[in-house]
Coordinates of all heavy atoms in Angstrom, one line a residue:
G20 N -15.5 -175.0 -27.1 CA -15.8 -174.6 -28.5 C -16.8 -175.5 -29.2 O -17.1 -175.4 -30.4
T21 N -17.6 -176.3 -28.4 CA -18.6 -177.2 -29.0 C -19.7 -176.3 -29.4 O -20.3 -175.4 -28.6 CB -19.1 -178.2 -28.0 OG1 -18.0 -179.1 -27.6 CG2 -20.3 -179.0 -28.5
R22 N -20.2 -176.3 -30.6 CA -21.3 -175.5 -31.1 C -22.6 -175.9 -30.6 O -23.0 -177.2 -30.6 CB -21.3 -175.5 -32.6 CG -22.5 -174.8 -33.3 CD -22.5 -174.9 -34.8 NE -23.7 -174.5 -35.4 CZ -24.0 -173.2 -35.7 NH1 -23.1 -172.3 -35.6 NH2 -25.1 -172.8 -36.3
V23 N -23.4 -175.1 -30.0 CA -24.8 -175.3 -29.5 C -25.6 -174.3 -30.3 O -25.4 -173.1 -30.5 CB -24.8 -175.2 -28.0 CG1 -24.1 -176.3 -27.3 CG2 -24.3 -173.8 -27.5
E24 N -26.9 -174.8 -30.6 CA -27.9 -174.0 -31.2 C -29.0 -173.8 -30.4 O -29.5 -174.8 -29.8 CB -28.2 -174.7 -32.6 CG -27.1 -174.9 -33.5 CD -27.5 -175.7 -34.7 OE1 -28.7 -176.2 -34.8 OE2 -26.7 -175.9 -35.7
R25 N -29.6 -172.5 -30.3 CA -30.9 -172.3 -29.7 C -31.9 -172.4 -30.8 O -31.8 -171.7 -31.8 CB -30.8 -170.9 -29.0 CG -32.2 -170.6 -28.4 CD -32.0 -169.4 -27.4 NE -31.4 -168.2 -28.0 CZ -32.1 -167.2 -28.6 NH1 -33.4 -167.3 -28.8 NH2 -31.5 -166.2 -29.2
Q26 N -32.9 -173.3 -30.6 CA -33.9 -173.4 -31.5 C -35.3 -173.1 -31.0 O -35.6 -173.4 -29.8 CB -33.9 -174.8 -32.1 CG -32.6 -175.2 -32.8 CD -32.7 -176.6 -33.4 OE1 -33.5 -177.4 -33.0 NE2 -31.6 -177.0 -34.1
R27 N -36.2 -172.5 -31.8 CA -37.5 -172.2 -31.4 C -38.6 -173.0 -32.2 O -38.4 -173.2 -33.4 CB -37.8 -170.7 -31.5 CG -39.2 -170.3 -30.9 CD -39.3 -168.8 -30.7 NE -38.9 -168.0 -31.9 CZ -39.8 -167.5 -32.7 NH1 -41.0 -167.9 -32.6 NH2 -39.4 -166.8 -33.7
L28 N -39.6 -173.5 -31.5 CA -40.6 -174.3 -32.3 C -41.7 -173.2 -32.9 O -42.3 -172.5 -32.2 CB -41.3 -175.2 -31.3 CG -42.3 -176.2 -31.9 CD1 -41.6 -177.1 -32.8 CD2 -43.0 -176.9 -30.8
V29 N -41.7 -173.3 -34.2 CA -42.6 -172.4 -35.0 C -43.5 -173.2 -35.8 O -42.9 -173.8 -36.8 CB -41.8 -171.3 -35.7 CG1 -42.7 -170.4 -36.5 CG2 -40.8 -170.6 -34.9
N30 N -44.8 -173.2 -35.5 CA -45.7 -173.9 -36.4 C -45.3 -175.4 -36.6 O -45.3 -175.9 -37.6 CB -45.9 -173.3 -37.7 CG -46.6 -171.9 -37.6 OD1 -47.4 -171.6 -36.6 ND2 -46.1 -171.0 -38.4
G31 N -44.8 -176.0 -35.5 CA -44.4 -177.3 -35.5 C -43.1 -177.7 -36.1 O -42.7 -178.9 -36.2
T32 N -42.3 -176.7 -36.4 CA -41.0 -176.8 -36.9 C -39.9 -176.2 -36.1 O -40.2 -175.0 -35.7 CB -40.9 -176.3 -38.4 OG1 -41.9 -177.0 -39.2 CG2 -39.5 -176.5 -39.0
W33 N -38.8 -176.8 -35.9 CA -37.7 -176.2 -35.1 C -36.9 -175.2 -36.0 O -36.4 -175.7 -37.0 CB -36.8 -177.2 -34.4 CG -37.5 -178.0 -33.3 CD1 -37.9 -179.2 -33.4 CD2 -37.7 -177.5 -32.1 NE1 -38.5 -179.7 -32.2 CE2 -38.4 -178.6 -31.3 CE3 -37.4 -176.4 -31.4 CZ2 -38.7 -178.4 -29.9 CZ3 -37.9 -176.2 -30.0 CH2 -38.5 -177.2 -29.3
V34 N -36.8 -174.0 -35.5 CA -36.1 -173.1 -36.3 C -34.9 -172.5 -35.5 O -35.0 -172.2 -34.3 CB -37.0 -171.8 -36.6 CG1 -36.2 -170.8 -37.3 CG2 -38.3 -172.3 -37.4
L35 N -33.7 -172.6 -36.2 CA -32.5 -172.0 -35.6 C -32.6 -170.5 -35.4 O -32.8 -169.8 -36.5 CB -31.3 -172.4 -36.4 CG -30.0 -171.7 -36.0 CD1 -29.6 -172.2 -34.7 CD2 -28.8 -172.1 -37.1
V36 N -32.4 -170.0 -34.2 CA -32.5 -168.6 -34.0 C -31.1 -168.0 -33.5 O -30.9 -166.8 -33.7 CB -33.6 -168.2 -33.0 CG1 -34.9 -168.5 -33.6 CG2 -33.5 -169.0 -31.7
A37 N -30.3 -168.9 -32.9 CA -28.9 -168.3 -32.5 C -28.0 -169.5 -32.2 O -28.4 -170.7 -32.1 CB -29.1 -167.5 -31.2
A38 N -26.7 -169.3 -32.2 CA -25.7 -170.3 -32.0 C -24.6 -169.7 -31.1 O -24.4 -168.4 -31.2 CB -25.2 -170.9 -33.2
T39 N -24.0 -170.5 -30.3 CA -22.8 -170.1 -29.5 C -21.9 -171.3 -29.3 O -22.1 -172.4 -29.9 CB -23.3 -169.4 -28.1 OG1 -22.1 -168.9 -27.5 CG2 -23.9 -170.5 -27.2
A40 N -20.9 -171.1 -28.5 CA -19.9 -172.2 -28.2 C -19.8 -172.4 -26.8 O -19.9 -171.4 -26.0 CB -18.6 -171.9 -28.9
T41 N -19.5 -173.6 -26.4 CA -19.3 -173.9 -25.0 C -17.9 -173.5 -24.4 O -17.0 -173.3 -25.1 CB -19.5 -175.4 -24.6 OG1 -18.5 -176.1 -25.5 CG2 -20.8 -176.0 -25.1
S42 N -17.9 -173.3 -23.1 CA -16.6 -173.0 -22.5 C -15.8 -174.2 -22.3 O -16.3 -175.3 -22.6 CB -16.9 -172.3 -21.2 OG -17.5 -173.2 -20.2
S43 N -14.7 -174.1 -21.6 CA -13.9 -175.3 -21.3 C -14.6 -176.3 -20.4 O -14.3 -177.5 -20.3 CB -12.5 -174.9 -20.8 OG -12.7 -174.2 -19.6
T44 N -15.5 -175.7 -19.6 CA -16.3 -176.6 -18.7 C -17.6 -177.1 -19.2 O -18.4 -177.8 -18.6 CB -16.7 -175.8 -17.4 OG1 -17.5 -174.7 -17.7 CG2 -15.4 -175.3 -16.7
G45 N -17.8 -176.8 -20.5 CA -19.0 -177.3 -21.3 C -20.2 -176.4 -21.1 O -21.3 -176.8 -21.6
S46 N -20.1 -175.3 -20.4 CA -21.3 -174.4 -20.2 C -21.5 -173.5 -21.3 O -20.6 -173.1 -22.2 CB -21.1 -173.6 -18.8 OG -20.0 -172.8 -18.9
Y47 N -22.7 -172.9 -21.4 CA -23.1 -171.9 -22.4 C -24.2 -171.1 -21.9 O -24.8 -171.4 -20.9 CB -23.5 -172.6 -23.7 CG -24.9 -173.3 -23.5 CD1 -26.0 -172.6 -23.8 CD2 -24.9 -174.6 -23.2 CE1 -27.3 -173.3 -23.5 CE2 -26.0 -175.3 -22.9 CZ -27.3 -174.5 -23.1 OH -28.5 -175.2 -22.8
S48 N -24.5 -170.0 -22.6 CA -25.6 -169.1 -22.2 C -26.0 -168.3 -23.4 O -25.2 -167.8 -24.2 CB -25.1 -168.1 -21.1 OG -26.2 -167.3 -20.6
F49 N -27.3 -168.2 -23.5 CA -28.0 -167.3 -24.5 C -28.8 -166.2 -23.7 O -29.6 -166.5 -22.7 CB -29.0 -168.1 -25.3 CG -28.3 -169.1 -26.3 CD1 -28.3 -170.4 -25.9 CD2 -27.8 -168.7 -27.5 CE1 -27.7 -171.3 -26.8 CE2 -27.3 -169.6 -28.4 CZ -27.2 -171.0 -28.0
S50 N -28.7 -165.0 -24.2 CA -29.5 -163.9 -23.7 C -30.2 -163.1 -24.8 O -29.6 -162.8 -25.8 CB -28.6 -162.9 -22.9 OG -29.3 -161.8 -22.4
F51 N -31.5 -163.0 -24.6 CA -32.3 -162.4 -25.8 C -33.6 -161.7 -25.2 O -34.0 -162.0 -24.0 CB -32.7 -163.4 -26.8 CG -33.5 -164.5 -26.2 CD1 -34.8 -164.6 -26.3 CD2 -32.7 -165.7 -25.7 CE1 -35.5 -165.7 -25.8 CE2 -33.4 -166.7 -25.2 CZ -34.8 -166.8 -25.3
T52 N -34.2 -160.8 -25.9 CA -35.4 -160.0 -25.4 C -36.6 -160.3 -26.4 O -36.3 -160.5 -27.6 CB -35.2 -158.6 -25.3 OG1 -34.7 -158.0 -26.5 CG2 -34.1 -158.3 -24.2
W53 N -37.8 -160.1 -25.9 CA -39.0 -160.3 -26.7 C -39.9 -159.0 -26.5 O -40.0 -158.6 -25.3 CB -39.8 -161.5 -26.3 CG -39.4 -162.7 -27.1 CD1 -38.5 -163.8 -26.8 CD2 -39.8 -163.0 -28.5 NE1 -38.4 -164.7 -27.7 CE2 -39.2 -164.3 -28.9 CE3 -40.7 -162.4 -29.3 CZ2 -39.4 -164.9 -30.1 CZ3 -40.9 -163.0 -30.6 CH2 -40.3 -164.3 -30.9
K54 N -40.5 -158.6 -27.6 CA -41.4 -157.5 -27.5 C -42.8 -157.9 -27.5 O -43.8 -157.1 -27.3 CB -41.1 -156.4 -28.5 CG -39.8 -155.8 -28.5 CD -39.5 -154.8 -29.6 CE -38.2 -154.2 -29.5 NZ -37.9 -153.2 -30.6
T55 N -43.0 -159.2 -27.8 CA -44.4 -159.7 -28.0 C -44.8 -160.6 -26.8 O -43.9 -161.6 -26.5 CB -44.5 -160.5 -29.3 OG1 -44.1 -159.6 -30.4 CG2 -45.9 -160.9 -29.6
A56 N -45.9 -160.5 -26.3 CA -46.3 -161.4 -25.2 C -46.7 -162.7 -25.8 O -47.2 -162.8 -26.9 CB -47.5 -160.7 -24.5
G57 N -46.6 -163.7 -25.0 CA -47.0 -165.1 -25.4 C -46.1 -166.2 -24.7 O -45.3 -165.9 -24.0
K58 N -46.4 -167.4 -25.2 CA -45.5 -168.5 -24.7 C -44.8 -169.1 -25.9 O -45.3 -169.3 -26.9 CB -46.4 -169.6 -24.1 CG -47.0 -169.3 -22.7 CD -47.8 -170.4 -22.1 CE -48.3 -170.1 -20.7 NZ -48.9 -171.3 -20.1
F59 N -43.5 -169.3 -25.7 CA -42.6 -169.7 -26.7 C -41.8 -171.0 -26.2 O -41.3 -171.0 -25.1 CB -41.6 -168.6 -27.0 CG -42.3 -167.3 -27.5 CD1 -42.6 -166.3 -26.4 CD2 -42.8 -167.1 -28.7 CE1 -43.3 -165.2 -26.8 CE2 -43.5 -165.9 -29.1 CZ -43.8 -165.0 -28.1
T60 N -41.6 -171.9 -27.1 CA -40.9 -173.2 -26.8 C -39.5 -173.2 -27.4 O -39.4 -173.0 -28.6 CB -41.7 -174.4 -27.2 OG1 -43.0 -174.4 -26.6 CG2 -41.1 -175.7 -26.9
Y61 N -38.6 -173.5 -26.6 CA -37.1 -173.6 -27.0 C -36.5 -174.9 -26.7 O -37.0 -175.7 -25.8 CB -36.4 -172.5 -26.4 CG -36.7 -171.1 -26.8 CD1 -37.7 -170.4 -26.2 CD2 -36.0 -170.5 -27.9 CE1 -38.0 -169.0 -26.6 CE2 -36.3 -169.2 -28.3 CZ -37.4 -168.5 -27.7 OH -37.7 -167.3 -28.1
R62 N -35.4 -175.2 -27.4 CA -34.6 -176.3 -27.0 C -33.1 -175.9 -27.5 O -32.9 -175.0 -28.3 CB -34.9 -177.6 -27.6 CG -34.7 -177.7 -29.1 CD -35.0 -179.0 -29.7 NE -34.7 -179.1 -31.2 CZ -34.9 -180.2 -31.9 NH1 -35.5 -181.3 -31.4 NH2 -34.6 -180.2 -33.2
V63 N -32.1 -176.6 -26.9 CA -30.8 -176.3 -27.3 C -30.2 -177.6 -27.9 O -30.4 -178.8 -27.3 CB -29.9 -175.9 -26.1 CG1 -28.4 -175.7 -26.5 CG2 -30.5 -174.6 -25.5
V64 N -29.6 -177.6 -29.1 CA -29.1 -178.7 -29.8 C -27.5 -178.6 -29.9 O -27.1 -177.5 -30.3 CB -29.8 -178.9 -31.1 CG1 -29.2 -180.0 -31.9 CG2 -31.3 -179.0 -31.0

């Protein structure tokens, strides 16, 4: 149940785009799609 946030770097600022919770083993997973080509930087907090 630990809250984790997926954040994307936009113009030098980290922006929250999604959140989820960990399982009992501490694992988590985010699944998402993009329609625009390019390179995107993410982190999980």
Side-chain angles (χ1 to χ4, degrees):
T21 300
R22 175 184 168 86
V23 290
E24 301 175 353
R25 176 165 56 91
Q26 298 179 353
R27 181 162 58 89
L28 188 61
V29 180
N30 297 324
T32 301
W33 289 104
V34 177
L35 171 63
V36 292
T39 189
T41 60
S42 68
S43 60
T44 61
S46 62
Y47 68 88
S48 180
F49 291 97
S50 179
F51 55 97
T52 58
W53 269 99
K54 296 179 179 179
T55 306
K58 288 188 175 182
F59 306 93
T60 301
Y61 290 89
R62 72 177 183 182
V63 176
V64 175

